């Protein structure tokens, strides 16, 4: 049974879950390099979001808001003395059975490993979370033009690594 | 490369999007949790300004203002106390800020000329010393100062000690002044003592005394010479008259010579007493000048000074070390820290940050 929240109906919430969770989980796995930890953070993110839901303003995109919470949950996790662990794709990353996509994925993972954390974060938000430039700007609290420029530069650097 | 970089990343991004292993269980578990009570959220929502930062900043401004109003330069604070006249001689030498020519030179010194020749390189330095010491224990420090004064063969001229302040005037030999000063400075750390040393060369006074001595001596020797000459002349005259008296034939001649002898004796007595009076006068003047010379030498050989002691609070000790604005600075730092902490919490999305408090 789904609890009723004043700002959003149970059906809407369930739809939001279905739409957002794959992106969010993929993002968290890529950030944290740990599936179990990503699940924990996913839960705490949703719990925090649901607690604050009565004050959620529908004019803001729910998805972007959820990602902002997730980012802060990650920060809090690291602030608590936990540090990022090296990625072990065999054990933790999501398996991919499509051969060409698997090849792309490995290639991009190698490229990402060479990039700065700022670039990685931008590209994660842009391509895993599938957020718009506006939403990324709102989450990172920077100008949308700056986001465009930074994404463009990050891609250029990525191109260079290819 | 068949795909461009954007397509590559898009493909990579979509490949990463997958639900967690127990998605449905998680979904049901999380979405079925009861919402947080509205009051708690409302309460959390009211705290949206950096009040702690405002409080620290306000306190910093208040303390800055208070310090600005109350701040006195350290030197003024210590040296503007009322200095009493030190020393048994009544000289004003012990007043460090009032040290001037009239205070140094006793009234009875001959007025020195302004044009002191540079070829005379002698020094007759009169030194005045004042120290303002701040301490937590007045009586103990005053006892130490007295011991130091006695230790360098000096004397304590006056002593006033109370719980919060103390005042000692003293005189020490100039030859041991350096040792004395070193010991006084060693009593407390340099931040707690301010010394004032005034030195004046009394060469003009010395030269003036020497000139007076020379003039008086010259005059004295002239008068003495006149006296000797007078006596010799008188003796010759009397001897001559006595010879004439012995060879005189008539009573009338003898009477005349006797009258001349009497006149000569009378004139001689008058002149002699006049010269004797002058000699006494010059001798007295010479003695007086010699005394002045001795006094000047003794004066130069003595350093008179005062030490004022003042109790210092812990707050003032901190002020001495950290400067007058340490508290506003600390409060400002605290305000900044509080603000950055607030900003850090702001980095969370609005609703989330509310609930996280």
């Amino acid at each position: 049974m789904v609890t009723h929240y004043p700002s959003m109906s149970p059906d809407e919430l369930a739809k939001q879950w279905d739409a957002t969770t794959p992106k969010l989980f993929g993002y968290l796995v890529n950030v944290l390099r740990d599936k179990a930890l990503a699940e924990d953070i996913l839960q705490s993110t949703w719990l925090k979001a649901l607690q604050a839901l009565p004050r959620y303003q529908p004019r803001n995109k729910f998805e972007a808001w959820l990602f902002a919470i997730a980012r802060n949950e990650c920060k809090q996790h690291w602030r608590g003395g936990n540090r990022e662990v090296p990625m072990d794709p065999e054990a933790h990353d999501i398996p991919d059975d499509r051969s060409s996509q698997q090849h792309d994925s490995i290639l991009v993972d190698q490229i990402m490993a060479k990039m700065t954390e700022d670039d990685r974060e931008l590209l994660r938000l842009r391509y895993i979370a599938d957020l718009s430039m506006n939403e990324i700007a709102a989450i990172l609290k920077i100008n949308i033009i700056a986001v465009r420029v930074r994404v463009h530069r990050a891609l250029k650097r990525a191109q260079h690594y290819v | 490369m068949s795909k461009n970089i954007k397509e590559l990343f898009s493909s990579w991004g979509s490949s990463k999007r997958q639900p967690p292993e127990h998605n449905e269980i998680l979904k049901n578990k999380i979405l079925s949790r009861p919402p947080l009570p509205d009051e708690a959220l409302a309460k959390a929502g009211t705290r949206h300004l950096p009040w702690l930062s405002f409080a620290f900043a306000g306190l910093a401004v208040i303390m800055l203002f208070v310090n600005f109003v109350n701040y006195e330069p350290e030197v003024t604070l210590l040296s503007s106390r009322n200095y009493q006249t030190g020393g048994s001689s009544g000289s004003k030498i012990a007043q460090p800020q009032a040290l001037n020519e009239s205070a140094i030179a006793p009234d009875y010194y001959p007025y020195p000329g302004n044009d002191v020749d540079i070829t005379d390189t002698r020094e007759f330095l009169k030194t005045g010393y004042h120290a303002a010491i701040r301490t937590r224990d007045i009586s103990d420090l005053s006892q130490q100062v007295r011991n130091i004064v006695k230790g360098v063969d000096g004397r304590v001229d006056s002593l006033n000690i109370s719980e919060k302040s103390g005042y000692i005037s003293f005189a020490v030999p100039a030859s041991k002044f350096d040792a004395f000063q070193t010991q006084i400075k060693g009593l407390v750390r340099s931040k707690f003592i301010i010394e004032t040393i005034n030195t004046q060369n009394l060469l003009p006074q010395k030269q003036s005394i020497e000139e007076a001595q020379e003039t008086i001596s010259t005059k004295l020797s002239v008068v003495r010479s006149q006296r000797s000459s007078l006596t010799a002349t008188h003796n010759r005259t009397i001897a001559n008259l006595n010879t004439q008296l012995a060879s005189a034939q008539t009573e009338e001649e003898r009477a005349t010579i006797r009258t001349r002898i009497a006149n000569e004796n009378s004139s001689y007595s008058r002149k002699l007493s006049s010269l004797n009076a002058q000699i006494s006068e010059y001798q007295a003047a010479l003695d007086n000048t010699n005394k002045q010379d001795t006094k000047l030498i003794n004066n130069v050989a003595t350093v008179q000074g005062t030490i004022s002691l003042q109790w210092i609070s812990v707050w003032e000790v901190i002020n001495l070390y950290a400067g007058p604005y340490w508290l506003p600075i600390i409060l400002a730092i605290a305000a900044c820290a509080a603000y950055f902490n607030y900003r850090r919490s702001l980095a969370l999305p609005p609703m989330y940050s509310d609930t996280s408090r």
Side-chain angles (χ1 to χ4, degrees), chain A residues 17-64:
Chain A
W17 178 282
D18 292 338
T20 314
T21 298
K23 296 176 186 176
L24 186 57
F25 186 66
Y27 166 84
L28 288 173
V29 169
N30 195 265
V31 169
L32 299 166
R33 318 286 195 203
D34 187 321
K35 262 188 169 180
L37 180 60
E39 270 194 27
D40 288 346
I41 301 285
L42 177 79
Q43 286 187 56
S44 62
T45 301
W46 269 101
L47 288 172
K48 290 280 166 80
L50 293 176
Q51 281 178 355
L53 202 56
R55 300 185 68 240
Y56 168 68
Q57 293 166 339
R59 70 168 182 272
N60 301 322
K61 198 176 173 189
F62 184 81
E63 206 171 80

Side-chain angles (χ1 to χ4, degrees), chain A residues 55-56 72-73 93 104, chain B residues 3 16 32 348 351-352 354:
Chain A
R55 300 185 68 240
Y56 168 68
N72 284 295
E73 283 296 298
D93 209 356
D104 290 349
Chain B
K3 290 180 180 175
K16 298 288 178 189
S32 61
L348 307 175
M351 283 180 274
Y352 169 51
D354 287 341

Side-chain angles (χ1 to χ4, degrees), chain A residues 12-150:
Chain A
E12 283 174 331
L13 265 180
K15 279 180 190 171
Q16 285 292 358
W17 178 282
D18 292 338
T20 314
T21 298
K23 296 176 186 176
L24 186 57
F25 186 66
Y27 166 84
L28 288 173
V29 169
N30 195 265
V31 169
L32 299 166
R33 318 286 195 203
D34 187 321
K35 262 188 169 180
L37 180 60
E39 270 194 27
D40 288 346
I41 301 285
L42 177 79
Q43 286 187 56
S44 62
T45 301
W46 269 101
L47 288 172
K48 290 280 166 80
L50 293 176
Q51 281 178 355
L53 202 56
R55 300 185 68 240
Y56 168 68
Q57 293 166 339
R59 70 168 182 272
N60 301 322
K61 198 176 173 189
F62 184 81
E63 206 171 80
W65 181 56
L66 206 62
F67 270 94
I69 296 172
R71 286 187 81 235
N72 284 295
E73 283 296 298
C74 291
K75 279 182 192 171
Q76 280 210 338
H77 168 74
W78 289 322
R79 211 177 284 156
N82 303 302
R83 287 287 171 264
E84 197 171 350
V85 292
M87 182 173 150
D88 182 359
E90 293 291 325
H92 297 114
D93 209 356
I94 299 159
D96 195 339
D97 50 355
R98 288 166 290 182
S99 60
S100 74
Q101 217 171 7
Q102 193 174 12
H103 178 262
D104 290 349
S105 181
I106 292 167
L107 179 63
V108 174
D109 280 336
Q110 286 170 348
I111 293 168
M112 288 283 274
K114 292 175 186 172
M115 301 184 83
T116 64
E117 180 52 35
D118 285 348
D119 283 350
R120 279 203 292 265
E121 182 65 6
L122 269 173
L123 295 174
R124 275 182 211 125
L125 290 171
R126 183 77 182 108
Y127 293 104
I128 299 179
D130 199 24
L131 297 172
S132 69
M133 296 290 185
N134 252 329
E135 289 162 347
I136 296 173
I139 290 170
L140 298 180
K141 296 189 184 305
I142 53 175
N143 193 294
I144 183 173
I145 297 167
V147 174
R148 279 183 199 284
V149 171
R150 287 186 196 181

Side-chain angles (χ1 to χ4, degrees), chain B residues 71-90:
Chain B
Y71 179 66
E72 280 181 80
E74 192 178 313
V75 174
T76 313
L77 185 72
L78 287 169
S79 60
S80 62
R81 308 288 167 197
N82 294 325
Y83 297 125
Q84 297 169 20
T85 303
S88 58
S89 64

Side-chain angles (χ1 to χ4, degrees), chain B residues 227-300:
Chain B
R227 187 177 179 275
S228 302
S229 170
L230 177 70
T231 306
T233 308
H234 169 71
N235 287 341
R236 271 198 311 274
T237 306
I238 292 297
N240 189 25
L241 286 171
N242 281 336
T243 310
Q244 286 179 24
L245 185 64
S247 61
Q249 301 285 318
T250 64
E251 196 57 37
E252 192 180 340
E253 281 177 351
R254 286 193 197 101
T256 305
I257 291 168
R258 282 194 188 101
T259 307
R260 284 176 61 193
I261 289 173
N263 287 342
E264 173 60 25
N265 281 336
S266 167
S267 167
Y268 171 70
S269 296
R270 227 178 24 253
K271 287 178 182 171
L272 189 65
S273 62
S274 169
L275 287 173
N276 282 341
Q278 284 184 54
I279 286 170
S280 305
E281 198 178 307
Y282 284 132
Q283 190 62 54
L286 190 61
D287 290 345
N288 190 34
T289 314
N290 287 340
K291 279 182 190 170
Q292 289 176 26
D293 190 39
T294 307
K295 208 160 193 171
L296 186 138
I297 298 295
N298 289 339
N299 189 22
V300 166

Side-chain angles (χ1 to χ4, degrees), chain B residues 120-327:
Chain B
D120 192 345
T121 56
R122 293 176 297 167
E123 286 181 345
F124 295 90
L125 296 176
K126 174 64 183 173
T127 305
Y129 176 83
H130 175 75
I133 303 177
R134 308 201 72 183
T135 178
R136 299 276 300 159
D137 191 345
I138 297 286
S139 63
D140 179 55
L141 196 68
S142 68
Q143 186 57 50
Q144 289 186 53
V145 170
R146 274 184 283 175
N147 291 342
I148 290 171
V149 170
K150 295 286 178 194
V152 294
D153 299 330
R155 65 164 193 269
V156 173
D157 292 326
S158 71
L159 182 68
N160 296 309
I161 300 293
S162 70
E163 195 182 341
K164 296 281 181 185
S165 65
Y167 182 87
I168 301 163
S169 68
F170 59 86
V172 293
S175 57
K176 294 183 178 176
F177 176 65
D178 286 343
F180 167 79
Q181 193 192 357
T182 307
Q183 289 182 59
I184 290 292
K185 279 161 82 173
L187 285 177
V188 290
R189 289 175 181 272
S190 60
K191 277 189 177 292
F192 295 88
I193 183 168
I194 292 179
E195 290 181 298
T196 314
I197 298 170
N198 300 284
T199 308
Q200 188 178 5
N201 193 358
L202 299 184
L203 180 61
Q205 285 87 342
K206 176 66 177 170
Q207 283 182 331
S208 185
I209 289 170
E210 285 173 346
E211 277 174 26
Q213 281 175 322
E214 195 179 335
T215 307
I216 293 167
S217 297
T218 307
K219 284 180 179 172
L220 187 62
S221 59
V222 167
V223 174
R224 276 178 177 156
S225 156
Q226 284 176 349
R227 187 177 179 275
S228 302
S229 170
L230 177 70
T231 306
T233 308
H234 169 71
N235 287 341
R236 271 198 311 274
T237 306
I238 292 297
N240 189 25
L241 286 171
N242 281 336
T243 310
Q244 286 179 24
L245 185 64
S247 61
Q249 301 285 318
T250 64
E251 196 57 37
E252 192 180 340
E253 281 177 351
R254 286 193 197 101
T256 305
I257 291 168
R258 282 194 188 101
T259 307
R260 284 176 61 193
I261 289 173
N263 287 342
E264 173 60 25
N265 281 336
S266 167
S267 167
Y268 171 70
S269 296
R270 227 178 24 253
K271 287 178 182 171
L272 189 65
S273 62
S274 169
L275 287 173
N276 282 341
Q278 284 184 54
I279 286 170
S280 305
E281 198 178 307
Y282 284 132
Q283 190 62 54
L286 190 61
D287 290 345
N288 190 34
T289 314
N290 287 340
K291 279 182 190 170
Q292 289 176 26
D293 190 39
T294 307
K295 208 160 193 171
L296 186 138
I297 298 295
N298 289 339
N299 189 22
V300 166
T302 305
V303 175
Q304 286 176 303
T306 57
I307 290 177
S308 60
L309 309 173
Q310 199 189 348
W311 184 80
I312 188 167
S313 65
V314 175
W315 181 268
E316 287 171 314
V317 172
I318 296 170
N319 269 346
L320 270 179
Y321 278 102
Y325 299 113
W326 66 273
L327 189 56

